Amino acid sequence: MGDLVEITTWPKHLNAFYKITSNALAFEVKAAGNAALGLSRKPANNCDFWIVLGEGQRCFIKKMSSRHCESASTPGILSADEYHKFWLTWCNGCVRLGRDGYSDPIVSCINDVHDMKYVTFSVVEQRNPVHWRFEIPPSIEKTKFKPITGSELHWVTYEPGRDLPEELLVGGFEKENLYIARAKHRGSLTPGKYVRSLGKAYIPWGGQSTEKPEFELLCGFDGFWVPTCDDKIPVGAFIAGYSEDNLERLYIGRALYEGHLIPGKVAPSHKVCYIPYEGREISVKKFEILVSPKENDRCVNKIFVSDRVSYVQPDIEEYDVPDSDYSNETDEENVAF
């Protein structure tokens, strides 16, 4: 059900437009003279169509961009004492006016105007008012979206026997969903995969897929995957750890291998993504890297060697990586893991 509206139109009144989204209108009229409805794509006095009831005991539909109109003889169609019910449709290439309870229209007119969704009610050359009743779709306020909080990517320590975090990030698929883990190993902090059915994490290191009993899981959903290859690290790539030699920053990558999508690690100096698979460390040349809008874009492609920093400029034209703000300055925030 829509909202029931009752209005009275007077001579020389300002037209009020009502939005109708169903391409159809059921209405009632009580008038001593003539009554008119306008159809329009937008609220404006120059409507695309005018539908007039009772004009000289006739009804007609006129397209305003054409001199021609369609009309029919309708004596006694309106009454000054009681409401008479009608319907109006504008769909399937035709505007139709009909009486309530009858499927055949009183009069119809070809319509090639699209997206008419406004109706107005008026008076035609007379001094008497016209009374209307009609239904319009209920007014629905547009939903106001609130920003989601707590979505930032963050690490949670895995605790055996306890429920996993609800915001656990899915990182791939290998017979089941894979999640992203990281663990310390021989001086490194290395990202890899977590297999929920086994309750175990595996990291790629030294040519092997190494099982780790203690690890962290990546949670949140404020991230997206960017395809790349070699040492082309996108701006905003999420830093997941560091290597055992020279403390090179490690990123989270994932790659297709034998029909599986497996998360692993990306060390820019190696120019591949390493994934743990069936006990081995597999290197893949084409892969994706996890990017977070929150990540400091000044940290992209920095390789840390002792106390100095070297910068690797991405091939922007080939890989369409956004410009970064490169600087020769270093500070504790950029160096510390």
Side-chain angles (χ1 to χ4, degrees):
M1 295 292 290
D3 294 330
L4 180 62
V5 179
E6 293 190 37
I7 63 172
T8 300
T9 55
W10 293 84
K12 298 182 180 180
H13 76 289
L14 295 176
N15 288 344
F17 286 82
Y18 299 84
K19 190 173 184 179
I20 309 294
T21 57
S22 59
N23 293 333
L25 176 69
F27 63 96
E28 302 176 44
V29 184
K30 183 171 69 172
N34 305 312
L37 299 89
L39 286 176
S40 181
R41 287 168 292 181
K42 57 184 179 180
N45 287 331
N46 54 338
C47 294
D48 296 291
F49 282 88
W50 279 102
I51 299 91
V52 179
L53 298 86
E55 175 70 18
Q57 300 298 307
R58 299 183 67 85
C59 289
F60 69 83
I61 301 176
K62 179 174 175 56
K63 182 179 179 182
M64 296 311 294
S65 61
S66 172
R67 294 182 179 180
H68 179 70
C69 70
E70 299 289 345
S71 64
S73 176
T74 54
I77 194 169
L78 296 180
S79 169
D81 302 318
E82 60 181 358
Y83 282 95
H84 287 185
K85 297 181 179 180
F86 302 91
W87 53 262
L88 178 69
T89 64
W90 53 98
C91 58
N92 299 326
C94 195
V95 177
R96 299 178 177 87
L97 172 68
R99 291 187 179 91
D100 181 62
Y102 295 88
S103 59
D104 293 333
I106 299 170
V107 61
S108 62
C109 180
I110 295 175
N111 171 33
D112 57 0
V113 180
H114 301 289
D115 299 325
M116 291 191 299
K117 53 188 176 182
Y118 289 95
V119 176
T120 189
F121 302 85
S122 191
V123 175
V124 181
E125 297 180 354
Q126 64 187 56
R127 297 181 179 180
N128 300 318
V130 178
H131 305 280
W132 306 84
R133 291 177 184 165
F134 54 93
E135 285 187 3
I136 60 173
S139 177
I140 301 176
E141 294 186 5
K142 186 177 292 186
T143 303
K144 296 180 180 179
F145 294 99
K146 293 183 178 180
I148 298 175
T149 58
S151 63
E152 293 82 4
L153 298 177
H154 61 282
W155 297 98
V156 175
T157 301
Y158 173 75
E159 298 182 33
R162 299 195 64 177
D163 293 338
L164 295 173
E166 292 183 357
E167 65 271 25
L168 202 60
L169 178 66
V170 177
F173 187 85
E174 183 186 348
K175 300 179 182 178
E176 63 179 280
N177 285 340
L178 297 178
Y179 303 90
I180 297 167
R182 72 175 182 181
K184 293 182 178 180
H185 186 74
R186 296 192 178 183
S188 73
L189 181 59
T190 302
K193 69 181 181 182
Y194 169 68
V195 183
R196 188 169 187 171
S197 63
L198 301 177
K200 297 179 180 179
Y202 300 86
I203 63 168
W205 197 93
Q208 297 180 335
S209 172
T210 302
E211 179 183 326
K212 302 297 293 185
E214 297 180 358
F215 53 91
E216 294 176 293
L217 295 169
L218 186 61
C219 298
F221 43 87
D222 189 13
F224 54 94
W225 298 92
V226 175
T228 186
C229 64
D230 296 329
D231 58 352
K232 314 303 179 182
I233 309 300
V235 171
F238 185 73
I239 301 168
Y242 49 88
S243 65
E244 67 283 359
D245 53 336
N246 302 326
L247 296 181
E248 179 180 3
R249 289 190 170 180
L250 300 181
Y251 302 95
I252 298 169
R254 68 178 183 183
L256 287 170
Y257 189 75
E258 294 189 357
H260 308 296
L261 184 60
I262 304 174
K265 70 177 181 182
V266 175
S269 62
H270 289 223
K271 300 184 178 182
V272 296
C273 175
Y274 291 107
I275 59 173
Y277 181 70
E278 293 188 350
R280 297 175 294 155
E281 178 186 49
I282 308 294
S283 63
V284 184
K285 293 184 178 180
K286 292 185 178 181
F287 50 91
E288 294 178 304
I289 283 184
L290 183 63
V291 172
S292 170
K294 303 294 184 182
E295 203 70 9
N296 185 353
D297 61 1
R298 294 181 62 211
C299 295
V300 174
N301 279 0
K302 294 183 181 179
I303 301 175
F304 289 79
V305 182
S306 184
D307 59 349
R308 65 186 178 85
V309 183
S310 65
Y311 298 85
V312 181
Q313 176 67 51
D315 187 343
I316 296 176
E317 292 184 0
E318 181 178 357
Y319 290 95
D320 194 26
V321 178
D323 290 331
S324 303
D325 178 16
Y326 290 94
S327 170
N328 289 326
E329 299 177 358
T330 60
D331 50 42
E332 292 183 0
E333 178 184 357
N334 286 342
V335 175
F337 286 96

